[in-house]
Amino acid sequence: MAADQGRKVFVIGIGAGDPEHLTVGAVRALNEVDVVFLVDKGGPGSELRDARLRLCDGVMEPGHRYRVEEVELDAVRNRGAGPYDESIAALRAQRVAAYAALIASLGEDETGAFLVWGDPTLYDGTLAILDEVRAKASVRFEVEVVPGISSIAALAARHGVALNRAGENVLITSGRRLAKDGIPDSVDNVVVMLDAHGAWEDVDEDFAVWWGAFVGMPNESLARGSVGTSRAEIARERERLRDEKGWLFDTFLLRRR
Ligand SMILES: C[S@@+](CC[C@H](N)C(=O)[O-])C[C@H]1O[C@@H](n2cnc3c(N)ncnc32)[C@H](O)[C@@H]1O
């Protein structure tokens, strides 16, 4: 047991694609790691995996030696195979086992790092999975979280807009929840992420929208206006980018007028 206590795991937010969004803290942490852990989920995950490695390589000090330990997870949840909750639970168990194996590959007193897209505290399962790995007590390690610039911060900055006006609230939600719950009357501003199915198309046309796809990345696309006037343009852009890349990362802010 005592031998495991020197193991340290960084969870490093690396920003949402713009290399300039790597913080000084992230660069410092990256230069302390012996092992970079990569979790490949297939599909867009493979492209993001390469982007993560490029970001690392770009900021490692010359002569800093590290190795990469990689694990591949099943790419896509098979929604047809059983109840949704069961497939989520199976996916989760697979991840917990894979993360435990990665950490167990660390030598005594070695430091590893999970590189998390954007910020690790926003729509990312790494911290919860590490809690589960620790609860199982099969491997002991210390965790340090390094915050990153989220896709929300990147989007708001590119549009030069604040997420809320004075005294207003902001709801952060997913496309799935937007479709299910709509926008509660008490909410002034909504940030929507993970909108695979275009749930925003049902939003009232009076809302203002600031939209961005692949923000900070080479194929970035931005649009703003009222939902009514921007709906067609954003739908076209979403389709074009999805055709071009085969997948899409977009985020948008909606504001009640
Ligand atoms: C699993 S979440 C990860 C969020 C991430 N932890 C963060 O802090 O931004 C993935 C979602 O983040 C958003 N996203 C990530 N990178 C983005 C980017 N460069 N431009 C626009 N949206 C992005 C999209 O809504 C995407 O569906």
Side-chain angles (χ1 to χ4, degrees), residues 20-97:
E20 292 198 357
H21 290 179
L22 268 178
T23 66
V24 174
V27 173
R28 189 257 314 154
L30 282 168
N31 278 293
E32 284 180 31
V33 302
D34 303 296
V35 187
V36 171
F37 299 135
L38 288 180
V39 182
D40 188 349
K41 301 168 199 162
S46 305
E47 208 173 316
L48 293 176
R49 166 204 176 279
D50 296 343
R52 284 179 170 90
L53 270 186
R54 271 198 307 278
L55 284 173
C56 269
D57 278 344
V59 297
M60 291 294 194
E61 281 160 14
H64 175 75
R65 294 168 67 90
Y66 66 97
R67 62 183 195 279
V68 176
E69 291 283 347
E70 187 161 6
V71 69
E72 271 183 47
L73 298 178
D74 289 346
V76 180
R77 191 183 299 144
N78 184 354
R79 294 209 171 117
Y84 183 72
D85 285 352
E86 272 179 30
S87 55
I88 297 261
L91 198 73
R92 181 57 160 248
Q94 184 199 23
R95 285 196 183 176
V96 171

Side-chain angles (χ1 to χ4, degrees), residues 15-18 41 48 116-125 148-155 173 192-196 211-217 220-221 247-252:
D18 184 339
K41 301 168 199 162
L48 293 176
V116 174
W117 200 253
D119 179 75
T121 65
L122 181 69
Y123 280 113
D124 186 86
I149 294 184
S150 68
S151 51
I152 300 180
L155 171 82
T173 191
V192 184
M193 306 174 72
L194 294 154
D195 186 21
W211 174 85
F214 300 118
V215 177
M217 300 167 79
E220 174 181 279
S221 178
W247 58 285
L248 179 68
F249 258 3
D250 68 341
T251 299
F252 50 95

Side-chain angles (χ1 to χ4, degrees), residues 105-127:
S105 76
L106 284 176
E108 256 175 66
D109 295 326
E110 276 195 324
T111 297
F114 289 98
L115 310 183
V116 174
W117 200 253
D119 179 75
T121 65
L122 181 69
Y123 280 113
D124 186 86
T126 307
L127 295 179

